[in-house]
């Protein structure tokens, strides 16, 4: 009897040590929707949630022109998509509307894609609103004004006077707006410049080992590549984790939109790089090469973005081994984010803890951040659909 009792205790201990408490995918989505329902009525000003430092319980907000303004309406649209809750839809419409100003103003940077496609893009996908469609098309034309044909890319940060023509790896995400517009009534030119931007990024910003520079600097008059540097990473040649996540996601999406095999291969190799360099606990440090590791801060946002991109890779890859690799890796990231170490639970309004925004500026370190939540709910919805389509548990 005593032997069985000891064995039972041992089993409980093994389970407790090896299994982080985790949620299944419906539980993760229920959690997100419940958090949105609880917080949305207290987000009453006309500002957009951005971050929460440790100990804060409600969002610090930014104006509509902040690069992150699209993520809160994006979260609301995604939560509505899962729940069908009309009260959430109302809030989604409310926070989407003011972003129209971005579509029709002079382009300040590549972030138009994040702002307009997460808000109006999701809204159009779910409602078919003709008004939303016209705003997205206008936004794509606005983004296209930043294209420099000499370099062959969009100028990501025209306001940055330190560099001439610059592109950042994050900009890969915003090509989706151009691809979408070219296929939904916009000009062919939008498709062509998106392809050219992706090709130039692949040539100069993706390194031979499939890591990436954060920023590429080019001569704006003759277009030649000057150098790769960092802005938000540890060093020019280190690997900023979120940059790698933006890139693998952006190249997977570019393959979906073009069928160009080189984009798929680039995305897969970038994903392999990301997976192979993950630390034991499964969530990346903010930069894979910070010498302070293991005492460096984590970046849950990089994990959420990468998980969503890897689920797209799962769907696009033909090879069975590759499919398994990306599905398993994405599930592991989502599962780890869904553990008590990373979920904020009732600590604050966000879904997740432990993201890092701009470490070199000592800004937003180990905080809750709105885009981590956006890509967490997006990845969870993608995983749910994949499981349903393939009758997976
Ligand atoms: N796109 C800006 C960032 O990832 O922080």
């Amino acid at each position: 009897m005593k032997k069985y009792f000891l064995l039972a205790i041992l089993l409980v201990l093994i389970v407790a040590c090896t299994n982080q408490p985790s949620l299944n995918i419906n539980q993760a989505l229920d959690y997100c929707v419940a958090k949105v329902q609880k917080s949305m009525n207290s987000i009453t000003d006309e500002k957009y949630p951005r971050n929460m430092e440790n100990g804060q319980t409600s969002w610090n907000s930014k104006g509509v022109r902040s690069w992150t303004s699209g993520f809160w309406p994006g979260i609301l649209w995604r939560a509505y998509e899962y729940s069908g809750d009309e009260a959430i839809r109302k809030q989604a419409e409310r926070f989407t509307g003011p972003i129209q100003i971005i579509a029709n103003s002079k382009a300040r940077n590549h972030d138009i894609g994040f702002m307009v496609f997460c808000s109006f893009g999701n809204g159009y996908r779910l409602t078919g609103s003709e008004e939303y469609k016209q705003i997205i098309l206008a936004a794509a034309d606005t983004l296209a004004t930043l294209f420099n044909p000499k370099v062959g890319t969009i100028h990501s940060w025209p306001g940055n006077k330190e560099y001439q023509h610059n592109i950042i790896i994050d900009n890969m995400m915003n090509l989706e707006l151009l691809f979408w517009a070219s296929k939904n009534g916009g000009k062919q030119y939008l498709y062509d410049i998106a392809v050219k931007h992706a090709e130039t990024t692949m040539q100069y910003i993706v390194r031979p080992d499939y890591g990436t520079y954060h920023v590429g600097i080019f001569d704006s008059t003759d277009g030649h590549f000057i150098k790769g540097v960092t802005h938000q990473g540890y060093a020019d040649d280190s690997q900023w984790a979120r940059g790698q996540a933006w890139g693998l996601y952006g190249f997977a999406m570019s393959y979906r939109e073009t069928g160009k095999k080189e984009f798929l291969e680039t995305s897969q190799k970038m994903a392999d790089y990301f997976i192979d360099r993950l630390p034991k606990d499964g969530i990346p440090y903010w930069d894979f090469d910070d010498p302070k590791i293991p005492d460096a801060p984590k970046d849950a946002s990089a994990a959420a973005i990468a998980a969503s991109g890897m689920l797209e890779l799962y769907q696009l890859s033909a090879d069975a081994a590759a499919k398994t690799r990306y599905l398993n890796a994405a599930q592991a990231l989502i599962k780890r984010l869904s553990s008590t170490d990373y979920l904020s639970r009732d600590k604050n309004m966000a879904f997740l803890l432990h993201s890092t925004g701009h470490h070199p500026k000592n800004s937003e370190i180990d905080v809750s951040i709105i885009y981590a939540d956006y890509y967490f709910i997006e990845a969870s919805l993608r995983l749910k659909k994949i499981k349903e389509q393939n009758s997976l548990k």
Side-chain angles (χ1 to χ4, degrees):
M1 194 62 189
K2 195 174 161 199
K3 204 166 85 187
Y4 288 118
F5 180 69
L6 286 174
L7 202 62
I9 299 257
L10 192 65
L11 266 175
V12 168
L13 280 175
I14 288 171
V15 169
C17 292
T18 54
N19 270 355
Q20 283 287 338
S22 63
L23 303 170
N24 72 29
I25 205 62
N26 283 336
Q27 283 175 321
L29 286 160
D30 290 342
Y31 163 82
C32 293
V33 168
K35 291 219 82 166
V36 164
Q37 285 165 331
K38 197 167 166 202
S39 66
M40 65 183 184
N41 293 324
S42 64
I43 300 173
T44 50
D45 58 13
E46 290 315 316
K47 290 198 169 167
Y48 289 77
R50 164 70 173 257
N51 62 36
M52 267 178 286
E53 305 285 338
N54 272 333
Q56 281 188 295
T57 51
S58 55
W59 290 106
N60 298 311
S61 298
K62 296 268 186 192
V64 71
R65 290 188 187 277
S66 157
W67 81 272
T68 51
S69 64
F71 294 119
W72 175 241
I75 287 168
L76 291 162
W77 283 119
R78 295 279 181 190
Y80 168 66
E81 179 178 1
Y82 176 69
S83 65
D85 180 343
E86 288 297 328
I88 298 181
R89 175 183 165 146
K90 262 198 164 152
Q91 292 294 322
E93 287 167 345
R94 176 177 162 210
F95 280 89
T96 293
I99 294 176
Q100 176 173 4
I101 196 170
I102 305 302
N104 297 312
S105 311
K106 184 174 178 317
R108 292 184 176 192
N109 52 46
H110 72 107
D111 293 317
I112 295 165
F114 286 121
M115 294 148 98
V116 171
F117 214 59
C118 294
S119 55
F120 286 101
N122 279 311
Y124 178 71
R125 188 173 57 78
L126 296 172
T127 66
S129 157
E130 186 55 31
E131 187 196 342
Y132 282 13
K133 182 178 175 182
Q134 294 310 320
I135 291 165
I136 305 166
L137 289 171
D141 287 340
T142 301
L143 179 57
T145 61
L146 297 179
F147 187 74
N148 177 339
K150 288 259 168 46
V151 184
T153 74
I154 286 157
H155 191 176
S156 301
W157 289 330
N160 184 315
K161 301 295 171 227
E162 193 184 344
Y163 313 128
Q164 305 187 28
H165 182 103
N166 58 69
I167 62 171
I168 60 170
I169 189 68
D170 328 24
N171 197 151
M172 284 301 301
M173 299 291 288
N174 295 322
L175 304 181
E176 189 165 13
L177 172 65
L178 303 176
F179 285 128
W180 183 93
S182 72
K183 293 174 182 176
N184 287 275
K187 299 181 206 83
Q188 169 69 26
Y189 169 74
L190 300 172
Y191 178 94
D192 296 341
I193 66 172
V195 170
K196 188 72 187 147
H197 182 103
E199 286 171 349
T200 310
T201 303
M202 195 171 61
Q203 188 175 355
Y204 296 109
I205 307 305
V206 179
R207 301 177 184 131
D209 66 353
Y210 288 91
T212 42
Y213 291 114
H214 182 195
V215 187
I217 306 171
F218 296 79
D219 186 295
S220 51
T221 45
D222 70 12
H224 82 268
F225 178 63
I226 298 172
K227 60 179 175 174
V229 296
T230 198
H231 182 70
Q232 277 161 270
Y234 172 74
D236 291 347
D237 58 358
S238 73
Q239 188 51 59
W240 177 46
R242 194 161 61 254
Q244 192 72 4
W246 291 138
L248 75 89
Y249 185 129
F251 278 107
M253 175 276 298
S254 298
Y255 172 66
R256 183 227 301 152
E257 295 299 326
T258 63
K260 287 181 182 289
K261 283 264 162 36
E262 58 273 31
F263 295 159
L264 176 64
E265 200 183 304
T266 300
S267 175
Q268 288 175 329
K269 291 199 167 141
M270 289 182 71
D272 294 345
Y273 179 109
F274 191 98
I275 296 165
D276 293 346
R277 298 203 65 190
L278 283 173
K280 247 205 184 115
D281 102 317
I283 300 299
Y285 293 97
W286 74 282
D287 188 305
F288 286 106
D289 297 301
D290 182 344
K292 291 215 178 85
I293 290 172
D295 296 321
K298 294 292 183 104
D299 185 9
S301 76
I305 297 158
S308 195
M310 285 179 202
L311 290 172
E312 173 112 59
L313 265 184
Y314 160 79
Q315 284 170 309
L316 297 171
S317 299
D319 171 61
K323 280 179 109 58
T324 307
R325 180 168 169 78
Y326 302 126
L327 182 60
N328 287 347
Q331 290 200 95
L333 287 165
I334 295 169
K335 184 173 175 191
R336 187 70 184 113
L337 290 174
S338 305
S339 71
T340 50
D341 289 341
Y342 288 92
L343 287 188
S344 74
R345 299 273 178 196
D346 49 13
K347 287 200 181 89
N348 68 34
M349 281 182 178
F351 304 153
L352 297 175
L353 304 167
H354 305 315
S355 289
T356 296
H358 197 322
H359 195 283
K361 255 181 41 186
N362 205 19
S363 164
E364 299 181 312
I365 296 177
D366 195 12
V367 298
S368 290
I369 215 155
I370 196 72
Y371 44 89
D373 286 12
Y374 176 77
Y375 289 100
F376 179 67
I377 191 169
E378 179 188 275
S380 300
L381 276 166
R382 277 187 165 164
L383 182 56
K384 178 179 166 59
K385 281 182 195 153
I386 288 170
K387 281 174 180 264
E388 283 169 0
Q389 280 158 6
N390 298 283
S391 308
L392 299 171
K393 279 208 180 136

